[in-house]
């Protein structure tokens, strides 16, 4: 009697729109859940028969706010220490001068650049290279609809599921994806990093501002 063929697990890749997730978390629970364990959360989203192959987190470093930059840097170091499958992809903020035509004043603002494009490219590249069978896209940004459509054209049997951060639902994304659901409060609160993450260089403490 021959041996049974091993069951092939479905490969799952997770793509996270960092600022969309951040603003969703802040809108729903303030700063209470910003110390989020992205690998733990990603594993929690898998279904039976799926295996996690990658978690790619797209963000940009904040500008002109030293305390906020320090908190963000601490968090990214904690992620890279505690979450072996998480890859952090950093974009940037571009300085812009905004003009008010009514009051004739100017103010400086910053626009996030590269992160959305980087995520879209990686989603499409992954489909083209057959890196995953299912992609989980954690975002509520409708700008990713063309990337979803392109990935599915390149690999028609790929499955793309959109996970909406709290208060970040997009009907356009829902229609483009194979399935979608809202990231629940329980999964968020259950997947927080330890208060102290010890890296080879330092002990990384959850910022008091995020308590």
């Amino acid at each position: 009697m021959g041996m049974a063929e091993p069951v092939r697990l479905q490969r799952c890749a997770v793509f996270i729109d960092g600022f969309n997730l951040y603003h969703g978390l802040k809108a729903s629970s303030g700063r209470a859940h910003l110390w989020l364990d992205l690998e733990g959360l990603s594993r929690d989203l898998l279904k039976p028969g799926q295996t996690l192959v990658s978690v790619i987190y797209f963000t940009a470093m904040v500008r002109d706010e030293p305390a906020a930059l320090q908190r963000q840097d601490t968090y990214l170091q904690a992620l890279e220490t505690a979450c072996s499958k998480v890859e952090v992809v950093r974009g940037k903020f571009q300085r812009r001068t905004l003009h008010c035509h009514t009051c004739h004043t100017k103010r400086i603002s910053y626009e996030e650049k590269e992160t959305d494009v980087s995520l879209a490219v990686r989603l499409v590249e992954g489909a083209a290279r057959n890196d995953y069978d299912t992609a989980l896209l954690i975002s509520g940004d409708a700008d990713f609809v063309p990337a979803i459509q392109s990935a599915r054209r390149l690999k028609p049997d790929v499955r793309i599921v959109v996970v909406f951060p709290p208060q970040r639902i997009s009907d356009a994304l829902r229609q483009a994806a194979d399935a979608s659901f809202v990231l629940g409060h329980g999964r968020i609160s259950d997947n927080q990093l330890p208060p102290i993450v010890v890296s080879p260089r330092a002990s990384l403490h959850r910022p008091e501002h995020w308590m």
Side-chain angles (χ1 to χ4, degrees):
M1 186 174 182
M3 295 181 65
E5 289 288 329
V7 176
R8 179 182 176 274
L9 294 174
Q10 187 183 69
R11 300 164 301 156
C12 187
V14 180
F15 300 83
I16 303 174
D17 177 357
F19 275 88
N20 200 270
L21 175 59
Y22 170 83
H23 288 297
L25 293 174
K26 280 199 71 177
S28 65
S29 55
R31 303 182 184 93
H33 297 128
L34 297 180
W35 194 242
L36 188 59
D37 178 347
L38 297 181
E39 184 172 338
L41 175 67
S42 297
R43 292 188 187 281
D44 205 8
L45 297 174
L46 299 185
K47 292 183 175 181
Q50 293 182 327
T51 185
L52 184 65
V53 293
S54 63
V55 181
I56 313 176
Y57 178 66
F58 299 84
T59 189
M61 304 307 291
V62 298
R63 296 285 302 270
D64 290 354
E65 296 181 58
L69 177 60
Q70 180 60 52
R71 290 192 294 270
Q72 184 184 26
D73 185 61
T74 298
Y75 176 57
L76 296 182
Q77 288 186 57
L79 279 181
E80 291 172 330
T81 299
C83 302
S84 61
K85 285 195 177 293
V86 172
E87 175 189 353
V88 177
V89 177
R90 293 170 172 84
K92 62 183 179 181
F93 281 96
Q94 182 170 298
R95 184 185 175 106
R96 297 177 60 202
T97 302
L98 302 180
H99 300 266
C100 178
H101 298 291
T102 303
C103 61
H104 305 292
T105 60
K106 297 188 296 183
R107 68 180 179 88
I108 301 300
S109 180
Y110 291 93
E111 181 180 19
E112 184 187 357
K113 303 292 288 185
E114 297 183 2
T115 53
D116 287 358
V117 173
S118 294
L119 192 158
V121 168
R122 293 290 291 270
L123 182 72
V124 174
E125 281 182 346
R129 292 197 304 256
N130 191 31
D131 288 343
Y132 58 80
D133 304 303
T134 294
L136 296 182
L137 170 60
I138 301 180
S139 180
D141 189 343
D143 287 348
F144 292 122
V145 167
I148 292 174
Q149 294 169 336
S150 180
R152 295 176 70 182
R153 283 195 299 270
L154 288 166
K155 190 170 185 270
D157 59 342
V158 76
R159 182 172 172 81
I160 300 181
V161 178
V162 171
V163 184
F164 295 117
Q167 302 184 35
R168 289 293 183 273
I169 296 173
S170 163
D171 287 336
L173 272 181
R174 179 187 285 123
Q175 292 168 9
D178 293 284
S180 64
F181 60 92
V182 177
L183 186 57
H185 178 81
R187 280 186 166 134
I188 294 168
S189 60
D190 288 347
N191 287 287
Q192 297 291 304
L193 292 167
I196 302 174
V197 175
V198 180
S199 79
R201 292 176 293 173
S203 293
L204 305 165
H205 295 252
R206 176 178 178 156
E208 290 186 8
H209 195 62
W210 291 1
M211 298 298 188

